[in-house]
Amino acid sequence: MDSPYPFPILRLPFLAIEEVFKAMNPFEIINFSMISKRTKSVTQQMTFYSKYSIRINASEMLEIWVAGPKYMTQCFYKFTTNQEINGEVVENTWNSRNELLVWKYSNNPIEEWKQLCIYVLEIFKKETIDVLLMTMDAFVNQNVSTTDFLKTNVKSVNECYLFQSVKENDINEHAAYLLKNIKITNAFSSYLHIKNDNFNGKIPKNLKELKIHYSQWIGYERLLEIDCKSVILEKNLITNKEWNMFFKKWIAMKTHLKLEYLEIDYRDIEKFRALVLHDIPHEVVDRRVKRTFKT
C-alpha cells in the first residue's frame, strides 16, 4: 500500500488551519510548532488558546501539564533521569476525557524542564500559570532559582499548592521567599510544616480560598491579617479567648469583610460553644437538615 500524500496544512486559509489546530491535542500542537520557524509562527497565531490551561509541578517528578478546552484532553510532560522510559507514552480515557503522559529523559531535568516551560508558555501565549505545585524539599538547592525563574516568566499563579515530603526539613526561608516573589490570585494551600512562629511568609491577599493544613504558626495577629473569602485552618493553636474576640470583630464588621466561609478543626462542638461562643448569639444547625448554599 502506497504511503498517503502529505497534507498541505500550511497552504490552507487561516480559518481552515485554525480548525485543524482545534482538532489537535496539546502535544500535537507543540510538536507541530517545533518543525520549523514557520510552523512555530503559524502556531502562535491561533486565537483560541485562552481556553487552554497550564499546570507546573516542581516536585520529585518535574511535570508540565497542558489541558485543552473543558479539560477534555490533558497532556503531561514528565521529566525523568531513567533513560529506559524516555519517550514512553501512556494514554488513559475516562468519561470521554483523554489523558496523555509522555516521559522525557534528561541528565539535567531541572534546566530542560525550565526551557520547556518557557516554550509552552510562549506557544500558548500564557502569562499566568493556572496551577503551581511545588514540594519545597524535593530540590532544596534549586528552590530560590526556581522561584526566580517563575517570577521572571509568569505574571501570576492562579492556584498554588506547597508541600514537603519530610516534616523535619526546614523550608521556612525558601517558602517565605516564594510567597514574597510569586503573585497568587485565586487559591493557596499549604501542607508545609513551618518550624516557628517567627515565619515571615507573606500570606496572599484577596484570595477566594486559603487552606493551611498545619497552621500552628498562624497566631491571632496573623489571623486578623488574612483577607480571603474562604479560610480553612487546621491544627491551629489560637486560644479560645482569641477566637471569641475574632468572632466578635467579624460580626461587628471590624475585620474580614470578605470572609464568607471559615473552617477550623474544633472536635467538640459543645465545648466550643461553652468556651468560645458563650456570649455570642449563634445557631447550631440540626445535622439532619440539609442546607444548600453557594460559597
Short mmCIF file of all heavy atoms in Angstrom, two decimals, residues 36-78:
data_model
loop_
_atom_site.label_atom_id
_atom_site.label_comp_id
_atom_site.label_asym_id
_atom_site.label_seq_id
_atom_site.Cartn_x
_atom_site.Cartn_y
_atom_site.Cartn_z
N SER A 36 9.61 23.92 12.36
CA SER A 36 10.36 24.99 11.71
C SER A 36 9.94 26.33 12.30
O SER A 36 8.97 26.42 13.06
CB SER A 36 10.12 24.99 10.20
OG SER A 36 8.76 25.33 9.92
N LYS A 37 10.65 27.38 11.90
CA LYS A 37 10.28 28.71 12.33
C LYS A 37 8.90 29.08 11.81
O LYS A 37 8.13 29.77 12.49
CB LYS A 37 11.32 29.72 11.85
CG LYS A 37 12.66 29.62 12.54
CD LYS A 37 13.61 30.71 12.05
CE LYS A 37 14.95 30.62 12.76
NZ LYS A 37 15.89 31.67 12.28
N ARG A 38 8.59 28.64 10.60
CA ARG A 38 7.29 28.96 10.01
C ARG A 38 6.15 28.29 10.77
O ARG A 38 5.13 28.91 11.05
CB ARG A 38 7.25 28.56 8.54
CG ARG A 38 5.98 29.01 7.82
CD ARG A 38 5.95 28.54 6.40
NE ARG A 38 4.70 28.92 5.75
CZ ARG A 38 4.27 28.45 4.58
NH1 ARG A 38 5.03 27.59 3.91
NH2 ARG A 38 3.12 28.83 4.07
N THR A 39 6.33 27.00 11.10
CA THR A 39 5.26 26.31 11.83
C THR A 39 5.09 26.91 13.23
O THR A 39 3.97 26.98 13.75
CB THR A 39 5.54 24.81 11.94
OG1 THR A 39 6.79 24.61 12.62
CG2 THR A 39 5.59 24.16 10.57
N LYS A 40 6.19 27.35 13.83
CA LYS A 40 6.09 28.00 15.14
C LYS A 40 5.30 29.31 15.02
O LYS A 40 4.43 29.61 15.84
CB LYS A 40 7.47 28.27 15.71
CG LYS A 40 7.43 28.94 17.09
CD LYS A 40 8.83 29.15 17.65
CE LYS A 40 8.77 29.84 19.02
NZ LYS A 40 10.13 30.08 19.58
N SER A 41 5.61 30.07 13.97
CA SER A 41 4.90 31.34 13.76
C SER A 41 3.41 31.11 13.54
O SER A 41 2.57 31.82 14.11
CB SER A 41 5.51 32.07 12.56
OG SER A 41 4.79 33.25 12.27
N VAL A 42 3.07 30.10 12.73
CA VAL A 42 1.66 29.79 12.47
C VAL A 42 0.98 29.35 13.76
O VAL A 42 -0.15 29.76 14.07
CB VAL A 42 1.54 28.69 11.39
CG1 VAL A 42 0.11 28.18 11.29
CG2 VAL A 42 2.00 29.23 10.04
N THR A 43 1.65 28.52 14.54
CA THR A 43 1.08 28.02 15.80
C THR A 43 0.74 29.16 16.74
O THR A 43 -0.31 29.16 17.40
CB THR A 43 2.07 27.05 16.48
OG1 THR A 43 2.37 25.98 15.59
CG2 THR A 43 1.47 26.49 17.76
N GLN A 44 1.61 30.14 16.79
CA GLN A 44 1.40 31.26 17.71
C GLN A 44 0.30 32.21 17.26
O GLN A 44 -0.11 33.08 18.03
CB GLN A 44 2.71 32.04 17.88
CG GLN A 44 3.77 31.27 18.66
CD GLN A 44 5.07 32.02 18.75
OE1 GLN A 44 5.67 32.38 17.74
NE2 GLN A 44 5.51 32.28 19.97
N GLN A 45 -0.18 32.05 16.03
CA GLN A 45 -1.24 32.93 15.53
C GLN A 45 -2.64 32.45 15.90
O GLN A 45 -3.62 33.17 15.66
CB GLN A 45 -1.15 33.05 14.01
CG GLN A 45 0.11 33.76 13.52
CD GLN A 45 0.21 33.77 12.00
OE1 GLN A 45 -0.80 33.89 11.30
NE2 GLN A 45 1.42 33.63 11.48
N MET A 46 -2.76 31.26 16.47
CA MET A 46 -4.08 30.74 16.81
C MET A 46 -4.74 31.63 17.87
O MET A 46 -4.08 32.18 18.74
CB MET A 46 -3.98 29.30 17.34
CG MET A 46 -3.40 28.31 16.32
SD MET A 46 -4.35 28.19 14.80
CE MET A 46 -3.20 28.89 13.61
N THR A 47 -6.05 31.74 17.78
CA THR A 47 -6.79 32.70 18.63
C THR A 47 -7.58 32.05 19.76
O THR A 47 -8.28 32.75 20.49
CB THR A 47 -7.75 33.52 17.75
OG1 THR A 47 -8.71 32.64 17.14
CG2 THR A 47 -7.00 34.29 16.67
N PHE A 48 -7.49 30.73 19.93
CA PHE A 48 -8.37 30.05 20.89
C PHE A 48 -7.62 29.53 22.12
O PHE A 48 -8.18 28.77 22.92
CB PHE A 48 -9.09 28.87 20.21
CG PHE A 48 -8.18 27.87 19.55
CD1 PHE A 48 -7.63 26.83 20.28
CD2 PHE A 48 -7.86 28.00 18.22
CE1 PHE A 48 -6.79 25.91 19.67
CE2 PHE A 48 -7.02 27.08 17.60
CZ PHE A 48 -6.47 26.04 18.32
N TYR A 49 -6.37 29.96 22.32
CA TYR A 49 -5.58 29.41 23.41
C TYR A 49 -6.05 29.86 24.79
O TYR A 49 -5.62 29.29 25.80
CB TYR A 49 -4.11 29.79 23.23
CG TYR A 49 -3.43 29.09 22.07
CD1 TYR A 49 -2.42 29.72 21.35
CD2 TYR A 49 -3.79 27.80 21.70
CE1 TYR A 49 -1.79 29.08 20.28
CE2 TYR A 49 -3.17 27.16 20.64
CZ TYR A 49 -2.17 27.81 19.93
OH TYR A 49 -1.56 27.17 18.89
N SER A 50 -6.91 30.86 24.85
CA SER A 50 -7.41 31.28 26.16
C SER A 50 -8.18 30.17 26.86
O SER A 50 -8.36 30.18 28.08
CB SER A 50 -8.30 32.52 26.02
OG SER A 50 -9.43 32.22 25.20
N LYS A 51 -8.64 29.17 26.09
CA LYS A 51 -9.39 28.06 26.66
C LYS A 51 -8.48 26.96 27.19
O LYS A 51 -8.96 25.97 27.73
CB LYS A 51 -10.33 27.48 25.60
CG LYS A 51 -11.38 28.47 25.10
CD LYS A 51 -12.27 27.85 24.04
CE LYS A 51 -13.31 28.84 23.53
NZ LYS A 51 -14.18 28.25 22.47
N TYR A 52 -7.18 27.12 27.02
CA TYR A 52 -6.22 26.11 27.48
C TYR A 52 -5.69 26.47 28.87
O TYR A 52 -5.62 27.64 29.23
CB TYR A 52 -5.05 26.00 26.49
CG TYR A 52 -5.41 25.23 25.23
CD1 TYR A 52 -6.34 25.72 24.33
CD2 TYR A 52 -4.82 24.01 24.94
CE1 TYR A 52 -6.68 25.03 23.18
CE2 TYR A 52 -5.14 23.29 23.79
CZ TYR A 52 -6.08 23.81 22.92
OH TYR A 52 -6.41 23.11 21.79
N SER A 53 -5.30 25.45 29.61
CA SER A 53 -4.80 25.63 30.97
C SER A 53 -3.42 25.00 31.09
O SER A 53 -3.13 23.97 30.46
CB SER A 53 -5.74 24.98 31.99
OG SER A 53 -7.05 25.51 31.87
N ILE A 54 -2.58 25.61 31.92
CA ILE A 54 -1.22 25.11 32.12
C ILE A 54 -0.97 24.93 33.61
O ILE A 54 -1.25 25.80 34.42
CB ILE A 54 -0.18 26.08 31.53
CG1 ILE A 54 -0.32 26.11 30.00
CG2 ILE A 54 1.24 25.64 31.91
CD1 ILE A 54 0.61 27.07 29.32
N ARG A 55 -0.44 23.75 33.94
CA ARG A 55 -0.07 23.45 35.32
C ARG A 55 1.40 23.07 35.35
O ARG A 55 1.88 22.36 34.46
CB ARG A 55 -0.91 22.31 35.88
CG ARG A 55 -0.57 21.97 37.33
CD ARG A 55 -1.52 20.93 37.90
NE ARG A 55 -1.23 19.60 37.41
CZ ARG A 55 -1.91 18.51 37.79
NH1 ARG A 55 -2.93 18.63 38.60
NH2 ARG A 55 -1.58 17.33 37.31
N ILE A 56 2.11 23.54 36.35
CA ILE A 56 3.53 23.24 36.50
C ILE A 56 3.75 22.57 37.86
O ILE A 56 3.25 23.03 38.87
CB ILE A 56 4.37 24.53 36.40
CG1 ILE A 56 4.36 25.04 34.95
CG2 ILE A 56 5.80 24.28 36.85
CD1 ILE A 56 5.13 26.33 34.76
N ASN A 57 4.49 21.47 37.83
CA ASN A 57 4.76 20.71 39.05
C ASN A 57 6.26 20.65 39.27
O ASN A 57 6.99 20.04 38.50
CB ASN A 57 4.18 19.30 38.92
CG ASN A 57 4.27 18.52 40.22
OD1 ASN A 57 4.80 19.01 41.22
ND2 ASN A 57 3.76 17.30 40.22
N ALA A 58 6.72 21.31 40.33
CA ALA A 58 8.14 21.29 40.69
C ALA A 58 8.31 20.43 41.93
O ALA A 58 8.53 20.93 43.03
CB ALA A 58 8.65 22.71 40.94
N SER A 59 8.17 19.13 41.74
CA SER A 59 8.28 18.18 42.85
C SER A 59 9.30 17.11 42.47
O SER A 59 10.12 17.32 41.59
CB SER A 59 6.90 17.57 43.14
OG SER A 59 5.99 18.59 43.53
N GLU A 60 9.24 15.97 43.16
CA GLU A 60 10.19 14.90 42.83
C GLU A 60 10.12 14.54 41.36
O GLU A 60 11.13 14.27 40.72
CB GLU A 60 9.92 13.66 43.70
CG GLU A 60 10.25 13.83 45.17
CD GLU A 60 9.14 14.49 45.97
OE1 GLU A 60 8.14 14.91 45.35
OE2 GLU A 60 9.27 14.58 47.20
N MET A 61 8.92 14.54 40.80
CA MET A 61 8.72 14.35 39.37
C MET A 61 8.37 15.70 38.76
O MET A 61 7.30 16.25 38.99
CB MET A 61 7.58 13.35 39.11
CG MET A 61 7.25 13.15 37.63
SD MET A 61 8.53 12.30 36.69
CE MET A 61 8.31 10.61 37.28
N LEU A 62 9.30 16.26 38.00
CA LEU A 62 9.05 17.54 37.35
C LEU A 62 8.07 17.34 36.21
O LEU A 62 8.24 16.44 35.38
CB LEU A 62 10.37 18.12 36.82
CG LEU A 62 11.41 18.50 37.88
CD1 LEU A 62 12.76 18.69 37.24
CD2 LEU A 62 10.98 19.76 38.61
N GLU A 63 7.03 18.18 36.17
CA GLU A 63 5.98 18.00 35.17
C GLU A 63 5.56 19.33 34.57
O GLU A 63 5.63 20.38 35.22
CB GLU A 63 4.73 17.35 35.80
CG GLU A 63 4.93 15.95 36.30
CD GLU A 63 3.66 15.41 36.94
OE1 GLU A 63 2.82 16.21 37.37
OE2 GLU A 63 3.50 14.18 36.98
N ILE A 64 5.10 19.26 33.34
CA ILE A 64 4.36 20.35 32.70
C ILE A 64 3.08 19.74 32.15
O ILE A 64 3.11 18.73 31.45
CB ILE A 64 5.16 21.00 31.56
CG1 ILE A 64 6.52 21.48 32.07
CG2 ILE A 64 4.39 22.15 30.94
CD1 ILE A 64 7.46 21.90 30.96
N TRP A 65 1.97 20.35 32.48
CA TRP A 65 0.65 19.80 32.16
C TRP A 65 -0.11 20.83 31.36
O TRP A 65 -0.19 22.00 31.75
CB TRP A 65 -0.04 19.47 33.47
CG TRP A 65 -1.47 19.07 33.48
CD1 TRP A 65 -1.96 17.81 33.35
CD2 TRP A 65 -2.60 19.91 33.69
NE1 TRP A 65 -3.33 17.83 33.48
CE2 TRP A 65 -3.75 19.10 33.68
CE3 TRP A 65 -2.75 21.29 33.89
CZ2 TRP A 65 -5.02 19.62 33.87
CZ3 TRP A 65 -4.03 21.80 34.07
CH2 TRP A 65 -5.15 20.98 34.05
N VAL A 66 -0.61 20.44 30.18
CA VAL A 66 -1.39 21.34 29.34
C VAL A 66 -2.75 20.69 29.09
O VAL A 66 -2.82 19.53 28.66
CB VAL A 66 -0.70 21.62 28.00
CG1 VAL A 66 -1.50 22.65 27.20
CG2 VAL A 66 0.73 22.11 28.20
N ALA A 67 -3.82 21.41 29.37
CA ALA A 67 -5.17 20.89 29.17
C ALA A 67 -5.89 21.69 28.11
O ALA A 67 -5.82 22.92 28.09
CB ALA A 67 -5.96 20.93 30.48
N GLY A 68 -6.59 20.98 27.25
CA GLY A 68 -7.37 21.63 26.21
C GLY A 68 -8.68 22.16 26.76
O GLY A 68 -8.94 22.09 27.96
N PRO A 69 -9.53 22.70 25.89
CA PRO A 69 -10.81 23.27 26.34
C PRO A 69 -11.64 22.28 27.15
O PRO A 69 -11.75 21.11 26.81
CB PRO A 69 -11.50 23.61 25.01
CG PRO A 69 -10.38 23.82 24.04
CD PRO A 69 -9.33 22.82 24.45
N LYS A 70 -12.18 22.77 28.26
CA LYS A 70 -13.04 22.00 29.16
C LYS A 70 -12.33 20.76 29.71
O LYS A 70 -12.97 19.81 30.15
CB LYS A 70 -14.34 21.59 28.47
CG LYS A 70 -15.19 22.78 28.02
CD LYS A 70 -16.48 22.32 27.36
CE LYS A 70 -17.32 23.51 26.90
NZ LYS A 70 -18.58 23.09 26.24
N TYR A 71 -10.99 20.75 29.68
CA TYR A 71 -10.18 19.67 30.22
C TYR A 71 -10.49 18.32 29.55
O TYR A 71 -10.25 17.26 30.13
CB TYR A 71 -10.37 19.55 31.73
CG TYR A 71 -9.88 20.74 32.49
CD1 TYR A 71 -10.69 21.86 32.68
CD2 TYR A 71 -8.59 20.78 33.01
CE1 TYR A 71 -10.23 22.99 33.37
CE2 TYR A 71 -8.12 21.88 33.70
CZ TYR A 71 -8.94 22.98 33.87
OH TYR A 71 -8.48 24.08 34.55
N MET A 72 -10.99 18.36 28.31
CA MET A 72 -11.32 17.11 27.62
C MET A 72 -10.07 16.33 27.26
O MET A 72 -10.08 15.10 27.20
CB MET A 72 -12.16 17.41 26.38
CG MET A 72 -13.52 18.04 26.67
SD MET A 72 -14.51 17.07 27.84
CE MET A 72 -14.86 15.61 26.86
N THR A 73 -8.97 17.02 26.97
CA THR A 73 -7.69 16.36 26.70
C THR A 73 -6.63 17.00 27.58
O THR A 73 -6.45 18.21 27.58
CB THR A 73 -7.29 16.50 25.23
OG1 THR A 73 -8.29 15.92 24.39
CG2 THR A 73 -5.96 15.80 24.97
N GLN A 74 -5.93 16.17 28.33
CA GLN A 74 -4.90 16.65 29.25
C GLN A 74 -3.59 15.95 28.93
O GLN A 74 -3.54 14.72 28.84
CB GLN A 74 -5.31 16.37 30.70
CG GLN A 74 -6.67 16.94 31.06
CD GLN A 74 -7.13 16.52 32.44
OE1 GLN A 74 -6.33 16.42 33.36
NE2 GLN A 74 -8.42 16.29 32.60
N CYS A 75 -2.55 16.74 28.72
CA CYS A 75 -1.25 16.20 28.32
C CYS A 75 -0.19 16.53 29.36
O CYS A 75 -0.07 17.68 29.79
CB CYS A 75 -0.84 16.77 26.96
SG CYS A 75 -1.96 16.30 25.61
N PHE A 76 0.57 15.51 29.75
CA PHE A 76 1.59 15.67 30.78
C PHE A 76 2.97 15.36 30.20
O PHE A 76 3.18 14.30 29.61
CB PHE A 76 1.35 14.70 31.94
CG PHE A 76 0.12 14.96 32.74
CD1 PHE A 76 -1.13 14.60 32.28
CD2 PHE A 76 0.21 15.56 33.99
CE1 PHE A 76 -2.27 14.84 33.03
CE2 PHE A 76 -0.91 15.80 34.76
CZ PHE A 76 -2.17 15.44 34.27
N TYR A 77 3.90 16.29 30.37
CA TYR A 77 5.32 16.00 30.17
C TYR A 77 5.91 15.66 31.52
O TYR A 77 5.82 16.44 32.47
CB TYR A 77 6.06 17.21 29.60
CG TYR A 77 5.78 17.52 28.15
CD1 TYR A 77 4.98 18.59 27.80
CD2 TYR A 77 6.34 16.75 27.13
CE1 TYR A 77 4.73 18.89 26.46
CE2 TYR A 77 6.11 17.04 25.79
CZ TYR A 77 5.30 18.11 25.46
OH TYR A 77 5.07 18.41 24.15
N LYS A 78 6.53 14.50 31.63
CA LYS A 78 7.15 14.07 32.88
C LYS A 78 8.64 13.87 32.66
O LYS A 78 9.03 13.08 31.79
CB LYS A 78 6.51 12.77 33.38
CG LYS A 78 5.05 12.91 33.82
CD LYS A 78 4.47 11.55 34.21
CE LYS A 78 3.12 11.70 34.86
NZ LYS A 78 3.19 12.21 36.24
#
